[in-house]
Amino acid sequence: MPTAILTGQPVPGSSLEGDLRSLGFDVRHASDAGETETLLAAVPAGERVAVVDARFVGHVHALRLGLTDPRFPASALPGAVSVQPEARRALTRALTRESVAAGSGAAAPEDLAGRLGEALEADDLTVYRPELGTLVASVPADPQERNGVRQAVLSVDDEAVRLRSAVKARDGFFTTYCISPYSRYIARWCARRGLTPNQVTTASLITALIAAGCAATGTRAGFVAAGLLLLFSFVLDCTDGQLARYSLQYSTLGAWLDATFDRAKEYAYYAGLALGAARGGDDVWALALGAMILQTCRHVVDFSFNEANHDATANTSPTAALSDKLDSVGWTVWVRRMIVLPIGERWAMIAVLTALTTPRITFYALLAGCAFAATYTTAGRVLRSLTRKASRTDRAAGALVDLTDSGPLAESLTRFAGRLPRVAPAVVAFVAGAVVVTCAALAPYGGWLPVVGAAVYVLLSPAALLRPLKGALDWLVPPFYRAAEYLTVLALAVNAGMNGVLPAAFGLVAAVAYHHYDTVYRIRGNAGAPPHWLVRAIGGHEGRTLLVTVLAALLTAAQFKVALTALAVAVALLVLVESIRFWVSSGAPAVHDEGEPA
């Protein structure tokens, strides 16, 4: 149980002690810094500790935001400071200094909590101070001011603020107006019954898998049920994040679940639609795989661009200024959010089309919509990059290298590639990808032309490793490599022309895509890329591409199906075991979007 130490003289009629107990704190009292230090030493080392001024007046939710958020080692608000175990030493040092100063008469006896927060920051510890907005948190100096603060507290409904701030600040039109108005109340219902965000996330996954199973029946009733269940799964998907923000239940396991289950749900649903279409005599596996490839590459574009620019200096451009100006006009914000087909709009479209049309029409609409969205966003980002004056950091360049997923072949060839002309890495990646995909698409199955294309691809793969990826368009290198690898697998599977090859290819691309998403979320959590042994074990993008082309040249279509299945299982086992080990470990970071400021 966390401990809250109330410092100073208790205030008659104050509800502070009861408020802290309602937040789960064991409340103790201290009259000065010396007694606070003694009480702190008695608290077990693995527990959170808060020091709160007994004169504090404010909303309970302000205390919750400032004292209980598990993502930060130290946090503070006026009259209160809270530390987790990793920051206990810094708090102890600050209290020791306060005790010595009080003994010598050099320190003021009041506002101990405020001084401790300043001392922690002076000790080079980052102290999180939440944005309170309309919430009140204050330490009144006299009874008259105290009455005024109490009136301010009564004038604001902190539960309404808490519900509002549970919703993400930037969401799509469908999510904002069709889901969040009621999903936030579902989140509160879950919180009051002790449900956790991880349980809701798991329920969302199970619902989506049932939806995929309904779609796989191939019947009209199954398609209608699948569409309804997919929408309900999305409601739960919104609820889990809102529950995490509502109750501040952030966790490392929750970060992993939230980061991966959305893709697992969507791609499993694609597979269900393809199975359902096959039951009706329509083979749409190529469309399903194409939709997964397009969606994954869209995400890689997003991730790469953001990683390349989020900490860049002098990061301005006329295009970005125009975009900001458009965002200042209300209706353009929603239009621009909708045309990029975010998850809410995308899932709503898929659900409606599943219920009313056929899987083939659903995939055609999905591919057309995602292709337009990808063209719009990528063109805008290319234009920004070309007009932007930015100096990218070593961290950004390192993140782009990690996102390329280069394996042992690319690394070993770097020693021979130093004499090559200094061509822009994005150009090299595009040319290499175009060569291997074209060869795989045009050559008949069993030919060696795809192997030749893959060999060229491998020989050019060191381009991403020869120098830091700090050029204007170097963020395109990872998306080009992703598209090349995935499209090569798709082309070879289509040319094989045998039932079962495309589903096996779907499984392989899904396993590799999971590895790439896992890499992204590790980087976003400042935890670095997956371990080097894992990247080497699964071959890197160039090794896998070469291997698949060689297998297609050597094996019959039936044998190729078995080989793709075995490769998919091997890659999935390796990346899943390592990913689960990492995300459930105590050292894994939590990655969560913030809610709307109160």
Side-chain angles (χ1 to χ4, degrees):
M1 176 181 290
T3 299
I5 303 173
L6 282 179
T7 62
Q9 295 298 320
V11 178
S14 173
S15 63
L16 179 58
E17 183 171 345
D19 292 341
L20 290 170
R21 293 189 190 280
S22 72
L23 295 176
F25 285 97
D26 177 23
V27 181
R28 303 177 187 179
H29 295 269
S31 59
D32 54 27
E35 192 173 349
T36 303
E37 184 179 12
T38 302
L39 291 175
L40 175 63
V43 177
E47 293 183 0
R48 175 190 285 273
V49 179
V51 178
V52 185
D53 195 311
R55 299 169 300 160
F56 176 90
V57 178
H59 288 101
V60 176
H61 190 49
L63 287 171
R64 181 182 290 107
L65 292 172
L67 303 183
T68 68
D69 198 316
R71 297 170 296 172
F72 309 102
S75 55
L77 66 161
V81 63
S82 173
V83 298
Q84 297 211 70
E86 57 264 37
R88 280 280 294 275
R89 288 186 178 182
L91 181 62
T92 301
R93 289 194 297 267
L95 269 173
T96 300
R97 291 193 294 268
E98 289 290 332
S99 298
V100 172
S104 63
E110 297 181 343
D111 195 23
L112 175 61
R115 296 199 307 275
L116 289 176
E118 295 172 358
L120 292 177
E121 291 176 321
D123 203 14
D124 292 331
L125 183 68
T126 300
V127 178
Y128 170 68
R129 298 182 183 273
E131 294 183 29
L132 298 180
T134 57
L135 296 175
V136 176
S138 178
V139 181
D142 53 59
Q144 182 176 357
E145 183 181 350
R146 185 176 187 84
N147 289 333
V149 175
R150 282 177 171 173
Q151 291 301 316
V153 171
L154 293 175
S155 67
V156 176
D157 184 353
D158 71 334
E159 178 61 21
V161 172
R162 187 182 178 190
L163 274 172
R164 186 171 68 250
S165 60
V167 179
K168 275 200 303 188
R170 291 181 59 86
D171 251 331
F173 182 88
F174 179 77
T175 304
T176 300
Y177 290 104
C178 300
I179 304 296
S180 292
Y182 58 87
S183 62
R184 69 184 75 182
Y185 295 100
I186 299 176
R188 182 172 66 180
W189 183 90
C190 292
R192 291 178 175 177
R193 283 152 183 80
L195 298 177
T196 67
N198 293 349
Q199 291 170 333
V200 178
T201 302
T202 303
S204 176
L205 174 66
I206 293 172
T207 304
L209 293 179
I210 295 174
C214 291
T217 63
T219 64
R220 177 51 52 194
F223 288 146
V224 172
L228 293 174
L229 286 170
L230 186 65
L231 286 176
F232 182 60
S233 175
F234 182 66
V235 172
L236 293 177
D237 182 60
C238 295
T239 300
D240 64 357
Q242 291 166 1
L243 175 58
R245 287 182 286 272
Y246 180 84
S247 56
L248 299 186
Q249 295 185 75
Y250 302 112
S251 67
T252 55
L253 178 60
W256 174 68
L257 295 176
D258 189 59
T260 56
F261 276 16
D262 279 352
R263 303 288 74 76
K265 289 181 286 189
E266 186 167 2
Y267 298 158
Y269 192 82
Y270 293 175
L273 280 177
L275 287 170
R279 286 181 178 272
D282 189 11
D283 186 354
V284 297
W285 274 106
L287 298 177
L289 180 51
M292 181 168 66
I293 291 172
L294 179 55
Q295 190 57 36
T296 303
C297 290
R298 279 188 63 197
H299 288 143
V300 176
V301 168
D302 294 341
F303 297 142
S304 296
F305 180 81
N306 291 335
E307 286 301 322
N309 291 285
H310 88 280
D311 57 355
T313 58
N315 199 8
T316 60
S317 75
T319 308
L322 176 60
S323 177
D324 293 339
K325 185 175 181 180
L326 289 174
D327 278 344
S328 66
V329 182
W331 67 270
T332 65
V333 174
W334 295 117
V335 170
R336 298 176 71 206
R337 289 187 192 179
M338 291 174 66
I339 62 176
V340 300
L341 209 62
I343 185 171
E345 277 74 2
R346 190 167 67 251
W347 282 28
M349 181 184 74
I350 294 171
V352 171
L353 291 177
T354 299
L356 300 180
T357 64
T358 66
R360 180 172 290 274
I361 293 176
T362 300
F363 280 123
Y364 280 153
L366 181 63
L367 286 166
C370 288
F372 176 81
T375 302
Y376 170 78
T377 55
T378 305
R381 286 166 177 169
V382 168
L383 186 58
R384 286 191 186 193
S385 299
L386 293 175
T387 59
R388 172 175 279 157
K389 296 180 179 180
S391 298
R392 295 186 171 89
T393 64
D394 291 336
R395 178 206 172 278
L400 291 179
V401 170
D402 291 333
L403 288 173
T404 62
D405 193 34
S406 298
L409 291 178
E411 292 175 349
S412 62
L413 288 171
T414 54
R415 71 188 67 177
F416 307 107
R419 301 174 185 175
L420 294 177
R422 295 178 65 85
V423 181
V427 174
V428 177
F430 175 79
V431 171
V435 168
V436 68
V437 171
T438 301
C439 291
L442 296 182
Y445 180 79
W448 285 89
L449 182 60
V451 179
V452 174
V456 173
Y457 181 77
V458 170
L459 291 173
L460 295 177
S461 63
L465 305 176
L466 293 178
R467 64 179 186 270
L469 296 178
K470 295 184 178 181
L473 297 178
D474 285 354
W475 57 271
L476 286 169
V477 173
F480 284 152
Y481 283 146
R482 292 297 79 73
E485 179 182 359
Y486 298 162
L487 289 174
T488 297
V489 175
L490 171 61
L492 293 173
V494 169
N495 288 342
M498 180 178 181
N499 289 336
V501 177
L502 276 166
F506 188 97
L508 175 59
V509 172
V512 175
Y514 176 87
H515 165 63
H516 292 144
Y517 280 111
D518 186 55
T519 301
V520 164
Y521 281 97
R522 292 191 195 218
I523 293 172
R524 288 178 62 177
N526 294 318
H532 194 57
W533 69 262
L534 177 65
V535 178
R536 295 180 67 87
I538 60 176
H541 69 91
E542 79 287 355
R544 290 188 299 270
T545 303
L546 179 62
L547 175 60
V548 171
T549 59
V550 170
L551 291 174
L554 293 176
L555 305 177
T556 65
Q559 293 170 331
F560 186 53
K561 176 179 69 174
V562 175
L564 286 182
T565 303
L567 185 57
V569 171
V571 172
L573 285 176
L574 280 171
V575 300
L576 279 173
V577 168
E578 165 55 25
S579 177
I580 293 171
R581 181 208 64 78
F582 171 78
W583 285 105
V584 301
S585 68
S586 59
V591 181
H592 286 282
D593 292 324
E594 285 292 342
E596 184 180 57

